[in-house]
Amino acid sequence: MNPLLLRSMIVTGGLIAALNVLFAGFEHGFGNLPLWFWLSQLLLLPAMLLPARLFPVAATTRPFLRRASIYALGWLAPYGVFKVTGDALRPDFSLDASLIGLIVLCWIFGLVFATLRKPI
């Protein structure tokens, strides 16, 4: 893999993890965040490898729905860690609702990316 791409994916994963910690810390208090939440943010680093492999494929895919699906699949792992770990901190946590929200938002991300990034 290209070292620049790998470095940018690691930095992006770190930024997403930092934002998740900030949002959760402001909402629940930094002292109230459990150890599993802090450790689960490390999952964002390997989760960023999925978009690194799928986004170049999506960028060259011509059919719109297939391109949108590949982009959505690329966002699924990193955004899944972000969303599910943040949702799990709430006392009224529902895994079903969290996963449905995850899938809907990833589809929206995929449609937006497929619209903006048309293959040449």
Side-chain angles (χ1 to χ4, degrees):
M1 182 180 290
N2 180 349
L4 180 61
L5 179 63
L6 181 61
R7 190 176 324 124
S8 67
M9 287 305 191
I10 290 172
V11 168
T12 303
L15 288 173
I16 293 171
L19 283 175
N20 200 19
V21 168
L22 283 175
F23 292 154
F26 288 136
E27 185 175 345
H28 302 285
F30 289 98
N32 295 331
L33 296 178
L35 180 61
W36 66 263
F37 177 79
W38 291 95
L39 293 175
S40 67
Q41 300 313 302
L42 295 174
L43 291 172
L44 280 164
L45 299 177
M48 290 305 295
L49 295 177
L50 188 62
R53 298 196 187 283
L54 289 177
F55 284 3
V57 172
T60 60
T61 302
R62 289 232 175 258
F64 179 78
L65 287 179
R66 183 177 294 162
R67 187 170 66 247
S69 299
I70 295 171
Y71 277 125
L73 189 59
W75 279 112
L76 195 61
Y79 187 67
V81 172
F82 179 85
K83 178 155 180 49
V84 173
T85 59
D87 288 351
L89 293 171
R90 294 193 178 97
D92 60 342
F93 173 64
S94 167
L95 183 60
D96 294 339
S98 185
L99 291 177
I100 290 170
L102 169 68
I103 291 169
V104 168
L105 202 56
C106 284
W107 264 106
I108 292 171
F109 285 166
L111 292 171
V112 168
F113 268 69
T115 302
L116 296 176
R117 303 205 55 176
K118 296 176 184 159
I120 298 172

